[in-house]
Amino acid sequence: MNRIISLLVILTALALFLTACGEKSQEDVIEALDKTLDELTGYKAEAEMTLQTGEEPQKYNVEVWYKHPSSYRVALSNEDNEPSQIILRNEEGVFVLTPALNKSFRFQSDWPENNSQVYLYDSLVNDILMDPERSFSATEDHYVFQTNTSYTNKNLNQQEILLNKKDLTPASVKIMDVDLKVLVELKFQEFELNAEFNDGDFDMDRNMTHAQLNTDVPALAEDSEEDALTVYYPLYVPDGTGYPETSELETENGRRVMISYEGEQPFTLVQQKSKVVEASTPMNISRGEPVDLGFTYGAITKEGDTATLSWTYEGNDFFLASRHLSDEDMAAVAKSVYGTEEK
């Protein structure tokens, strides 16, 4: 009897010791995450994103602001930290800003709802909470969750989310395909939970003006029509599609290149040098959605049976049009265009 009592005392002491050390079960962490999400008033984050979808890794800096209940600001910039694009959501709608070109688009969209968003802490937490098939483990400093995803790109099949044990803030995210090959990796460098914001932080005009003060806006406006146009070709085309034919046209805005693909799912890719627009009034897109291309945001619109996806990259405007490609394939082709080039 004394041995049994001694064993119970030891087990109880061990349990108390583990509790004191902060070891939590998956259920404990899930409960804490649920509470964190309910009490979340906002956050600010800075992260480095690496895309592994091309021949060489592409790195971008990401700055994220969120204010409860539905104000968002995501700023993408290159490795030199020059702002290239901002996506905003406020009471007036969803905006995609390209400060260097003085361009802005406004959507009546529910972004970022209904799909996973690698940049957004609240989206990552929801992915964890809503996935009954999630896996859970712990390291010395992190809780590790692997979940299914709902990204618009179905090739982004699973994700591994590392949360800091101390406060459940995000440390890193890896998004993988069905073979667990990492396609996107996000490393959070700074994260401020329940951050404070000033009036106008999510205002379209204020964000455009502030970004332009840090961007050489006139640079593209001074480009001459004789400047060489780098022609980009997609790395990815759907099965049964190919045989590209290239044609060129001289317009008042310079050289325009059209690449037409034939086959089961034909499409046309048009590209030309970007030009700074004079007016900064947002272009309203009533039948369209912002599309996350990883390195930039595009706009997909529908006109009858034809879908058009437009975006800007490396000083070029791109337009992808097709009556046969799904929205997912449109995005997949667009994401691959930056990967190869021919001068």
Side-chain angles (χ1 to χ4, degrees), residues 40-58:
L40 187 63
T41 63
Y43 58 82
K44 293 181 178 180
E46 293 183 11
E48 180 185 75
M49 179 176 64
T50 303
L51 303 180
Q52 302 282 2
T53 53
E55 294 179 341
E56 298 292 335
Q58 304 287 320

Side-chain angles (χ1 to χ4, degrees), residues 11-279:
L11 291 175
T12 301
L14 180 60
L16 292 172
F17 174 76
L18 291 175
T19 301
C21 288
E23 291 299 326
K24 293 183 179 181
S25 68
Q26 177 178 180
E27 290 73 20
D28 293 332
V29 178
I30 291 297
E31 184 178 347
L33 281 174
D34 197 15
K35 182 179 179 181
T36 297
L37 196 60
D38 284 342
E39 298 176 351
L40 187 63
T41 63
Y43 58 82
K44 293 181 178 180
E46 293 183 11
E48 180 185 75
M49 179 176 64
T50 303
L51 303 180
Q52 302 282 2
T53 53
E55 294 179 341
E56 298 292 335
Q58 304 287 320
K59 292 184 181 293
Y60 298 88
N61 298 315
V62 186
E63 182 181 54
V64 182
W65 294 353
Y66 165 70
K67 180 181 178 181
H68 180 79
S70 58
S71 295
Y72 291 89
R73 176 186 180 274
V74 177
L76 298 175
S77 59
N78 58 25
E79 290 186 271
D80 296 327
N81 214 30
E82 297 175 354
S84 59
Q85 206 165 47
I86 298 170
I87 184 166
L88 289 172
R89 178 175 174 177
N90 57 31
E91 293 179 354
E92 298 177 355
V94 175
F95 298 84
V96 174
L97 314 180
T98 307
L101 302 178
N102 206 26
K103 282 185 180 179
S104 57
F105 296 91
R106 178 165 59 189
F107 304 85
Q108 295 304 318
S109 168
D110 60 0
W111 180 92
E113 299 171 5
N114 302 325
N115 293 111
S116 299
Q117 305 288 338
V118 66
Y119 322 115
L120 304 183
Y121 175 57
D122 44 319
S123 175
L124 296 172
V125 171
N126 269 317
D127 283 347
I128 293 171
L129 296 178
M130 300 304 293
D131 185 3
E133 300 178 347
R134 62 181 175 259
S135 67
F136 171 81
S137 61
T139 66
E140 183 177 352
D141 298 317
H142 302 109
Y143 296 118
V144 184
F145 286 93
Q146 188 161 319
T147 77
N148 295 315
T149 70
S150 59
Y151 292 98
T152 52
N153 182 354
K154 301 306 180 186
N155 195 40
L156 303 178
N157 189 263
Q158 298 183 58
Q159 61 188 359
E160 181 185 83
I161 303 168
L162 268 66
L163 304 176
N164 294 306
K165 278 188 172 181
K166 181 175 65 174
D167 53 10
L168 299 181
T169 56
S172 67
V173 185
K174 293 180 181 178
I175 308 178
M176 299 160 283
D177 62 15
V178 68
D179 298 318
L180 300 184
K181 176 184 176 182
V182 177
L183 301 180
V184 181
E185 183 172 8
L186 199 73
K187 294 182 179 179
F188 287 87
Q189 298 160 328
E190 294 185 19
F191 193 92
E192 181 184 356
L193 197 62
N194 295 323
E196 297 291 330
F197 295 96
N198 299 315
D199 292 340
D201 279 351
F202 298 91
D203 179 75
M204 190 279 289
D205 290 326
R206 178 169 175 172
N207 274 275
M208 179 71 87
T209 300
H210 183 268
Q212 287 175 338
L213 292 174
N214 296 284
T215 306
D216 190 7
V217 177
L220 287 172
E222 295 172 358
D223 288 344
S224 68
E225 295 182 7
E226 289 75 25
D227 286 341
L229 171 64
T230 299
V231 181
Y232 291 81
Y233 293 80
L235 279 171
Y236 166 80
V237 296
D239 291 340
T241 304
Y243 316 106
E245 292 187 4
T246 303
S247 60
E248 299 182 14
L249 179 67
E250 288 296 332
T251 72
E252 61 181 9
N253 292 322
R255 180 185 174 205
R256 179 179 297 166
V257 177
M258 293 172 286
I259 309 173
S260 298
Y261 286 78
E262 301 297 331
E264 296 177 8
Q265 300 181 74
F267 63 87
T268 299
L269 176 65
V270 180
Q271 51 195 293
Q272 63 187 29
K273 293 285 286 184
S274 301
K275 298 295 179 183
V276 178
V277 299
E278 295 181 3

